[in-house]
Amino acid sequence: MPRQSPRRPHAQTRTHTHPVDELLPIPRLALYGFQHVLAFYAAAVIVPVLLGNALGLSRQELVHLINADLLTCGVASIIQALGFWKVGARLPLVQGVTFTAVSPMIAIGTGAGGGTAGLLVVYGAVITAGMATFLFAPLFSKLVKYFPPVVIGTILTIIGITLIPVALQDAAGGAHLIGTPAYGDPKNLAYALGTLLFILAVVRIGKPFLSSLAVLLGLVVGTAVAWLFGDADFAAVRESDWFGVTTPFHYGMPRFELLPIVAMLVVVLITMVETTGDVYAIGEITRKRVDADTVARALRADGAATVLGGVLNSFPYVAFAENIGLVRMSKVMSRYVVVAAGVFMVVLGLLPKAGSLVASVPHPVLGGAAVSMFGIVAAVGVQILGKADLREERNTLILAVSLGAALLPTTVAPFFDRMPDDLRAVLDSGITLGALTAITLNLLFNVFTRRTTTEIDWDGVGEDEAPEAEFGAHPAR
């Protein structure tokens, strides 16, 4: 009888699909994707609203600016999540206009005379900065070793901490109500608190599938309650057009001027660090291995989206922190959910009436949901800081001083009002100032002194080593 060779334990290996690469059923893709759109919408449109109002644009011009932003957000998110060639991180990262660019763009636009003339100078700087980001991506990704956990964790913590006040402003009724009796009205706080408590209750007692939709359900229920009490206004939906097309260079051909370009290059340098932190954060959340190539592909997607934004009358793009928090809360990690969200955003960008419907979610309801999501971003930063040796005094100082610098623009605004416009355009942002501080101190304390720094250890986090429980089941199944 012929001898049979024993079967080795590893002769049969099971192949696993990482949750990031799992293609969910279309109904769930649509639900989860729409949840991302709702979570992202208010923050997405606030940048064109702030810039348009600061430059004195008409209502019609402002509506076009918002539609252009939504359309480009959708395309940018699809590029980042789906990926092609060496562009796109292929991770569940929703792209939106970076808050870091708001103050510089307002300074550039008003310095150029405001109105559409100011926008043309802004777009010239945006296009140039986008090209620089795309071309510089491979080199920047090799500098990741200079961004150890103490830097990445500090930046993510700063992003969360500086965005939480934005959520709290919405909870009080929205920044547009500041200075009026309606701002901070107990009714607004009740809507925000009710939405937050509803989300927490769904996460606590709901089944896994319902828990993954907690934010979407909270926004829908909160809006319905506000409507019943007469505090949700859908008049803008009736007044909006059904269809609107964003045309390239709608306001005219961009103008390329040196100082605005320099200011925008500084902005995208910060956003490149921010994107690096976001990529590592989503890798930490999804347990997906992240390396220099992943960072380079993410940065190329940022650069391509930013160039596209300048062409389609929009702005610089970066991964949205609140949606990273949503991935953590929902535990739905499929990048195809973000692709679905991108499709929704493109549709909203072409259908002003549909976009107005989503925009009708009351500010306090949105603020209640955003508090949890922005807080989670800060928590992810703290989680990454746990990989740094904070018993080392130098690392502790990097964190402490950077947090202080990040809070300076929001706590002592008059200090920046006295700065020259060019310098204020760069530094009047908590994220920018805090990130620059963390990077500079790390170079002084750990790099130039040739001290060794702890890098994020991805052993055991990659898809081959992760436990089956992380891969085999999650709420989407």
Side-chain angles (χ1 to χ4, degrees), residues 197-269:
L197 290 177
F198 182 87
I199 291 172
L200 295 176
V202 172
V203 172
R204 174 64 181 85
I205 64 178
K207 293 183 178 180
F209 177 70
L210 282 179
S211 295
S212 65
L213 293 172
V215 174
L216 174 61
L217 294 174
L219 291 171
V220 171
V221 171
T223 301
V225 172
W227 178 76
L228 288 174
F229 284 95
D231 293 316
D233 183 12
F234 296 98
V237 179
R238 295 190 295 270
E239 298 171 0
S240 300
D241 295 329
W242 277 105
F243 187 74
V245 179
T246 297
T247 55
F249 305 122
H250 174 77
Y251 301 100
M253 293 303 294
R255 289 167 47 196
F256 299 89
E257 298 183 5
L258 181 59
L259 285 179
I261 288 174
V262 171
M264 197 58 62
L265 287 175
V266 174
V267 169
V268 295
L269 177 62

Side-chain angles (χ1 to χ4, degrees), residues 127-414:
I127 291 172
T128 306
M131 291 179 176
T133 301
F134 189 93
L135 296 174
F136 190 56
L139 177 59
F140 190 90
S141 67
K142 295 177 182 177
L143 302 178
V144 169
K145 63 182 178 180
Y146 297 118
F147 303 107
V150 67
V151 173
I152 297 296
T154 297
I155 292 174
L156 285 171
T157 303
I158 285 170
I159 292 172
I161 289 175
T162 54
L163 289 180
I164 286 174
V166 177
L168 294 176
Q169 279 189 350
D170 274 336
H176 63 290
L177 294 180
I178 293 177
T180 69
Y183 186 72
D185 189 295
K187 182 172 57 175
N188 294 333
L189 298 177
Y191 286 137
L193 182 60
T195 301
L196 178 58
L197 290 177
F198 182 87
I199 291 172
L200 295 176
V202 172
V203 172
R204 174 64 181 85
I205 64 178
K207 293 183 178 180
F209 177 70
L210 282 179
S211 295
S212 65
L213 293 172
V215 174
L216 174 61
L217 294 174
L219 291 171
V220 171
V221 171
T223 301
V225 172
W227 178 76
L228 288 174
F229 284 95
D231 293 316
D233 183 12
F234 296 98
V237 179
R238 295 190 295 270
E239 298 171 0
S240 300
D241 295 329
W242 277 105
F243 187 74
V245 179
T246 297
T247 55
F249 305 122
H250 174 77
Y251 301 100
M253 293 303 294
R255 289 167 47 196
F256 299 89
E257 298 183 5
L258 181 59
L259 285 179
I261 288 174
V262 171
M264 197 58 62
L265 287 175
V266 174
V267 169
V268 295
L269 177 62
I270 301 303
T271 61
M272 290 170 83
V273 178
E274 185 179 342
T275 292
T276 301
D278 289 336
V279 170
Y280 276 107
I282 203 68
E284 183 85 5
I285 291 169
T286 61
R287 298 181 65 83
K288 181 79 169 178
R289 181 179 292 275
V290 170
D291 55 19
D293 181 62
T294 309
V295 173
R297 287 188 279 110
L299 293 173
R300 287 195 189 96
D302 278 1
T306 299
V307 172
L308 184 65
V311 173
L312 293 180
N313 321 295
S314 194
F315 312 106
Y317 284 86
V318 72
F320 253 39
E322 56 263 57
N323 293 88
I324 293 175
L326 181 55
V327 172
R328 176 70 173 269
M329 284 187 67
S330 68
K331 297 183 176 64
V332 178
M333 304 174 186
S334 171
R335 59 192 173 101
Y336 296 104
V337 169
V338 172
V339 174
V343 173
F344 275 122
M345 284 184 269
V346 170
V347 172
L348 290 174
L350 297 174
L351 300 175
K353 193 176 286 293
S356 296
L357 179 62
V358 179
S360 299
V361 176
H363 283 275
V365 173
L366 236 112
V371 165
S372 61
M373 291 183 292
F374 290 156
I376 283 179
V377 174
V380 172
V382 173
Q383 183 177 338
I384 292 179
L385 281 170
K387 299 177 181 294
D389 183 8
L390 293 181
R391 294 171 299 180
E392 168 57 54
E393 184 180 6
R394 298 188 182 197
N395 287 339
T396 304
L397 282 173
I398 291 172
L399 172 61
V401 177
S402 300
L403 287 174
L407 294 175
L408 185 59
T410 55
T411 55
V412 195

